Amino acid sequence: MTELSGRETVCEIFANLFGVAPPIVVRAPGRVNLIGEHTDYNEGFVLPMAIDRATWIALRRRDDDTVRLHSLEQKEATEFSLTNLEKGPVSWSEYPKGVAWALCEEGYEISGWEGVSTCEVPMGAGLSSSASFELAVARAFVEVGAFAWDPKKMARLCQKAENEWVGVNCGIMDQMISAIGVEDHAVLIDCRDLSTEAVPLPAGAAVMVMDTGTRRGLVNSAYNERRRECEKAAQFFGVKALRDVSRDDLAAKGAGLDEVTRHRARHVVTENDRTQRAAAAMKAGQAELLGELFDQSHESMRDDFEISSAPLDAMVRLARESAGCLGARLTGGGFAGCALALVQDEAASSFIDEVSRRYAEATGLTPQLYLCRASNGAECLS
Ligand code: GLA
């Protein structure tokens, strides 16, 4: 028997629960960031792509102000009223509530709905399952409401939900790419003005996601510490954000900073530069240069920003030792989760076998490697 896709699954369960086919089906993808790590909250550049794994929701409008959602992963339903939104203890249901709250705060008149959701994005792996859930919920509210889908605005509101309702101080990258992803392309995002440019993936090369099988504990504390260090560095340079510091400024004045803060700043300044060069390399079809920039980015995150881990370093090293690898780096917030590699198409399947085997031998952990295709951002498919 072949496995059902996310879409088929939510449609089937919806039909079982409600006795009719769902009138509305929405999806919003997870993401993998090709390069540009910890640059978004420094108002810099990121280069993520939306992946072919998404949160799916099959739903129908209700005539009252109640939202009722069955989550297949959580094996439970949540129900809340839109006229009386109250924060509850930390749980998955705070995400849809938070999105509803952010939409109301913005003055949208939203209505109730009921449905079924499933998330194909592995949780806690650094592939933005939360952003994909938030954007799918936002898309659902738009489909049952009387307002238009404005992807950038929805990304901002979902980020607000995550920051202010769920309490995670993330930047804008994950929500933006889940909202505006473009099939077969990565998207260069300027996180200061949210302008975007879709850049094609290099011909002959594939993006391999490599899950180390490790998950982060204390997510917030280390992330917030990095944010504070970056703010301190920006203050020292007398600028609004590290985006405004050049390599030359760093060379001229960086010595006045303490060592840790100087290293953090060096990562952000050089990463912004690498990210723009990576987008240019993609446009010029220079897969090898792109791979080199991935390698440099990993070194910078390991040594200057200090967000790698032994399993991530092992995965990146083994990937680079495997035939057909053009470059590799950890991806996402860091500390655990996924790395990615740029791999020549024809080497992909031997790469998966070899790196999986050697990683398991070296670490005793069970990895998961898979090729990712770039997909569109949040959409309604019915
Ligand atoms: C997490 C955050 C993003 C971004 C990355 C690091 O994924 O949610 O906003 O800061 O870390 O690049």
Side-chain angles (χ1 to χ4, degrees):
M1 215 174 76
T2 54
E3 217 180 296
L4 292 183
S5 68
R7 180 183 193 167
E8 288 161 342
T9 307
V10 287
C11 290
E12 188 176 299
I13 308 281
F14 184 99
N16 290 344
L17 279 172
F18 300 105
V20 287
I24 303 169
V25 180
V26 296
R27 68 174 276 283
R31 65 99 185 94
V32 62
N33 188 21
L34 298 191
I35 193 165
E37 224 64 83
H38 289 261
T39 43
D40 60 353
Y41 55 80
N42 289 299
E43 300 188 17
F45 295 89
V46 292
L47 187 55
M49 69 182 217
I51 57 174
D52 46 355
R53 294 184 175 219
T55 297
W56 291 86
I57 308 180
L59 68 137
R60 68 177 178 190
R61 193 177 199 280
R62 287 175 62 116
D63 292 329
D64 58 13
D65 67 352
T66 297
V67 170
R68 186 172 168 79
L69 180 61
H70 300 254
S71 155
L72 297 183
E73 282 68 42
Q74 305 296 332
K75 299 186 175 52
E76 62 177 20
T78 183
E79 184 173 309
F80 55 88
S81 155
L82 295 171
T83 38
N84 187 21
L85 286 166
E86 276 177 16
K87 272 191 205 179
V90 179
S91 102
W92 69 278
S93 54
E94 293 309 297
Y95 288 91
K97 256 197 240 170
V99 172
W101 165 79
L103 288 166
C104 291
E105 285 272 303
E106 190 66 18
Y108 286 110
E109 286 193 12
I110 54 176
S111 22
W113 49 271
E114 57 196 0
V116 177
S117 74
T118 191
C119 182
E120 302 159 334
V121 188
M123 287 178 202
L127 300 176
S128 294
S129 55
S130 343
S132 87
F133 188 31
E134 290 154 8
L135 266 300
V137 167
R139 190 78 223 207
F141 276 115
V142 166
E143 295 309 316
V144 299
F147 52 100
W149 176 248
D150 175 342
K152 289 183 189 173
K153 192 162 185 188
M154 291 299 147
R156 280 249 184 253
L157 292 177
C158 287
Q159 183 201 14
K160 179 174 172 167
E162 177 130 5
N163 292 166
E164 295 176 34
W165 189 277
V166 179
V168 176
N169 206 13
C170 62
I172 188 66
M173 167 170 70
D174 308 343
Q175 287 79 11
M176 264 298 277
I177 189 63
S178 185
I180 55 102
V182 180
E183 195 169 14
D184 297 330
H185 290 71
V187 184
L188 178 67
I189 304 172
D190 180 336
C191 296
R192 174 160 276 169
D193 64 9
L194 294 193
S195 57
T196 62
E197 184 186 2
V199 284
L201 292 168
V207 174
M208 184 78 67
V209 168
M210 309 184 291
D211 190 338
T212 59
T214 58
R215 297 292 179 260
R216 294 176 288 184
L218 303 171
V219 192
N220 266 329
S221 61
Y223 187 85
N224 290 341
E225 189 184 20
R226 295 299 181 283
R227 286 190 74 141
R228 277 195 302 275
E229 290 161 346
C230 290
E231 279 159 24
K232 183 174 161 192
Q235 242 167 33
F236 167 84
F237 285 104
V239 293
K240 181 162 176 272
L242 281 181
R243 148 73 173 271
D244 301 310
V245 176
S246 67
R247 280 180 187 260
D248 287 348
D249 298 334
L250 200 63
K253 289 201 256 159
L257 277 168
D258 67 88
E259 198 182 341
V260 169
T261 315
R262 186 170 69 248
H263 287 175
R264 303 297 190 248
R266 185 164 66 185
H267 166 71
V268 174
V269 171
T270 56
E271 184 80 349
N272 264 328
D273 184 44
R274 279 187 291 271
T275 304
Q276 292 171 85
R277 283 161 59 210
M282 285 173 76
K283 281 193 269 179
Q286 296 168 314
E288 290 194 358
L289 175 56
L290 183 63
E292 280 164 31
L293 292 163
F294 283 9
D295 289 347
Q296 291 168 18
S297 170
H298 186 77
E299 262 73 84
S300 175
M301 290 188 286
R302 185 190 62 202
D303 302 337
D304 277 350
F305 219 61
E306 296 183 279
I307 54 167
S308 193
S309 67
L312 282 163
D313 287 341
M315 186 69 97
V316 165
R317 179 175 54 79
L318 295 170
R320 287 181 192 163
E321 284 171 11
S322 191
C325 181
L326 299 166
R329 59 185 289 278
L330 76 83
T331 181
F335 302 104
C338 290
L340 70 85
L342 192 67
V343 178
Q344 282 162 348
D345 271 341
E346 64 274 10
S349 81
S350 59
F351 179 95
I352 293 179
D353 294 344
E354 183 179 327
V355 176
S356 302
R357 178 180 50 77
R358 293 189 65 205
Y359 177 81
E361 279 165 13
T363 62
L365 294 160
T366 308
Q368 274 206 43
L369 273 69
Y370 40 88
L371 285 174
C372 270
R373 285 203 43 225
S375 81
N376 282 330
E379 56 193 342
C380 177
L381 290 144
S382 42

